[in-house]
Amino acid sequence: MSTEEFQKEQEFITGLYERLDDLRAEAEGTVRSALTQVASGQQAKLERDVLVAEQSGLLAAFNAGESGLCFGRLDFQDGRQYHMGRIGIRQNDADRTPLVVDWRADIARPFYLATGYSPMGLRRRRHITTEGRTVTALHDEILDLTDTTRTGHEGSAADTVLLAALDAARSGRMHDIVQTIQAEQDRIIRASHQGVLVVEGGPGTGKTVVALHRAAYLLYAYRDLLARRGVLIVGPNPAFLAYIGEVLPSLGETGVLLATVGELFPGITATGTDTAAAAEVKGRAAMADALARCVRDRQTVPDPGIEIEHDDGTLVLDRAMAEDARAAARQTGLPHNLARPHFAFRIIDALTEQLADRIGADPYGGPNFLGPDDIAQLGKAIALSGEVHAVIDTLWPMLTPQQLVTDFLAEPAHLADLDAELIRRTGGPWTPADVPLLDEAAELLGEDDSAARAAEEAERQQRIAYAQGVLDVAYASRTYEFEDKEELDKDASEVLGAHDIVDAERMAERHEEADHRSAAERAAADRTWAFGHIIVDEAQELSAMTWRLLMRRCPTRSMTLVGDPAQTGDPAGCDSWRQILDPYVGDRWEHTRLGVNYRTPAEIMRVAAGVRRAEDPAFEPPGSVRSTGVRPRARAARADDLARTVGRTVADEAPHEGRLAVVAPAALHPRLAAELPGASYGPAPDLTRDVVLLDPRQAKGLEFDTVVVVEPGQILAGSPRGANDLYVALTRATQRLAVVHTGALPEAVREGLAREAETVRPA
């Protein structure tokens, strides 16, 4: 093994980090300078804020790339040589020569795609393993077999590096895979951002981490578009978002919005819980029609009429007048709140006409003697009448989404009796299934922002007036310097003043307070924001109503959907991609499948696959790339000793390094937690703990070194999609699996374990 090659790479890595330190110092110095200059009045606040934001973004990227900054090298047959890294770094020379190439650059593709059969111009591909700033291993792949030069580090490097990553202990946080991206994954990552791409894959196929790297690639390749519009990543629960939260920052990307469905309505955080049956009803597409009918129900007419007290006598708003106003408002096609002024105007006009006929009527049958100005005054008085507005509020009230959905859930109209009873609720926190209903209600109601726009315009006029005053003062002080008008006019023809360069309106705009929030921050606060791209993980779990919400967030339909119908657990979830996409894009979407399981050892996968085959004999799981030689085990327990048996099993199976998860029905969690001191559980468990207690839905998308599945029979019987939930629970482990049960094991599990594991009875 060549120490010379090690030395070369170590010198390069050392120099690379020195350059990184210099760049970091430059960015920090720029920020300090900007802050100092604005304090001394040498720099405008707006310029300072923009500069600080830019340099802070650079600092975030530099800090993110600190760990494992360089991980590979490409040696081309024509003599070119490029080092690969998480972020691109250039030398400090006139040509800005690349020191490290960003893994997303086109020149980097051979690192992931080249083979001996198709070397893509490569002579050698090197994998560099580092610990901190120290090189610990080199692995070289020879792709040009005619090249006889050897370094002593040759071998099946790709397999060596990949398997080392797969066998590494888990930390409770997902890591990036830039060093081990496989060819099928690279093609997905670099696919065009246009249109809908469906990435289907079974457990452990890497579909989630591929989707995250796709987000990083799209932000690199389409920076101008996506930095402005932003990227939204939707995950199934808070624990999952915490699990994946460090991947994109490690790749230098921090401007992405990660959210659960329950966080997609600004101002609302859905902390409540629905029954599975209630969530299924709320998720049906038919709920959109039910809410639309509820809105129309709030657009009422009197029967037979309403008397309104007025200074000039009682007015009567009859049914025909109200129906005419309602029809006119509905014909506008505007949402409820935006159509309300049209309804109000027709009501006011009708009452004005009624009052004018009464006051101006000629008792002898002649023409009305009121002129247009008189009628206009009557109309103004009616428009200002509190009694009239009270009637309008009754017949066509201004509504908020929260009001409408609260009223709907208290009395679920337009639903079958059984469905209505399932979702009926008065009070309590919002649930994730309520959020799509709130969003639908917001679409139906619309937001009347006329008052806000009027206030904004008034503030703008104030800024213009102030700017004009500044210009006037500047002009007056200039004229004061000259003794006569002739001298002033002569100077004015040669020297431009402030009023010659900028008018008051433009000056006001330049000093308007800028919004320096990132696209992700602004998008999180704006329900109507249109994202440049949306990535949905566990997409098969989303209801039809949730898809309506997401499609509104992405009018261009630039989306990546990641999931596996075989793992669908939510009763409101969709059974096929076509069911999801047909209403929005027809057949204009692309489907690709990942078929290699990098996570789950073959011994465990064979047991899990049996559960799915019991439901679908034609089911084919993804193929596992490795076998650990560790067989899954089962342990029976007495019903009154379940928690202690689980505790003993955890003690026996706990890895020396890494993380262990206990996956059990939620109802058992309090009992089990008592025997698992230090274990984290709840709505948002801390996945970095040594032991985590989850239910099968919470475990989706996660992985642990060791998993203990408790009461698989209860998981199987716990919902209409219980087989899918059990399949998820059994496929979370990277090394070891144990099953603890009190009753009889499900037949598929029993048969699988009989083939793969010995059954251990409690003492």
Side-chain angles (χ1 to χ4, degrees), residues 61-199:
F62 296 151
N63 292 332
E66 170 77 24
S67 177
L69 179 59
C70 177
F71 57 81
R73 193 183 81 188
L74 297 175
D75 294 355
F76 284 87
Q77 294 169 356
D78 61 8
R80 290 177 299 152
Q81 188 179 88
Y82 296 97
H83 278 85
M84 300 269 297
R86 281 174 170 75
I87 58 175
I89 295 181
R90 295 182 177 274
Q91 297 183 36
N92 190 20
D93 57 19
D95 298 328
R96 305 288 289 166
T97 307
L99 193 60
V100 171
V101 173
D102 192 299
W103 67 276
R104 297 166 287 189
D106 286 341
I107 194 67
R109 292 209 75 181
F111 190 82
Y112 303 113
L113 299 182
T115 64
Y117 179 76
S118 177
M120 301 178 70
L122 284 187
R123 179 174 62 86
R124 179 189 310 273
R125 173 169 50 207
R126 168 168 288 178
H127 296 260
I128 302 171
T129 303
T130 58
E131 205 171 288
R133 300 188 175 195
T134 302
V135 177
T136 58
L138 301 178
H139 300 278
D140 286 346
E141 294 176 84
I142 302 299
L143 298 173
D144 179 2
L145 299 181
T146 65
D147 185 352
T148 59
T149 304
R150 296 294 181 265
T151 65
H153 300 283
E154 289 79 14
S156 56
D159 291 342
T160 301
V161 174
L162 175 61
L163 292 175
L166 298 178
D167 286 332
R170 269 42 191 175
S171 65
R173 293 288 182 265
M174 180 180 279
H175 296 295
D176 65 66
I177 59 168
V178 289
Q179 192 169 357
T180 59
I181 293 172
Q182 303 300 293
E184 65 172 356
Q185 297 171 334
D186 184 79
R187 283 187 283 271
I188 293 170
I189 289 169
R190 296 174 189 265
S192 171
H193 75 290
Q194 295 178 331
V196 177
L197 174 64
V198 174
V199 182

Side-chain angles (χ1 to χ4, degrees), residues 385-405:
S385 167
E387 290 79 3
V388 171
H389 280 283
V391 169
I392 292 172
D393 287 340
T394 300
L395 300 179
W396 195 296
M398 182 73 75
L399 298 170
T400 67
Q402 291 88 333
Q403 284 176 308
L404 182 68
V405 176

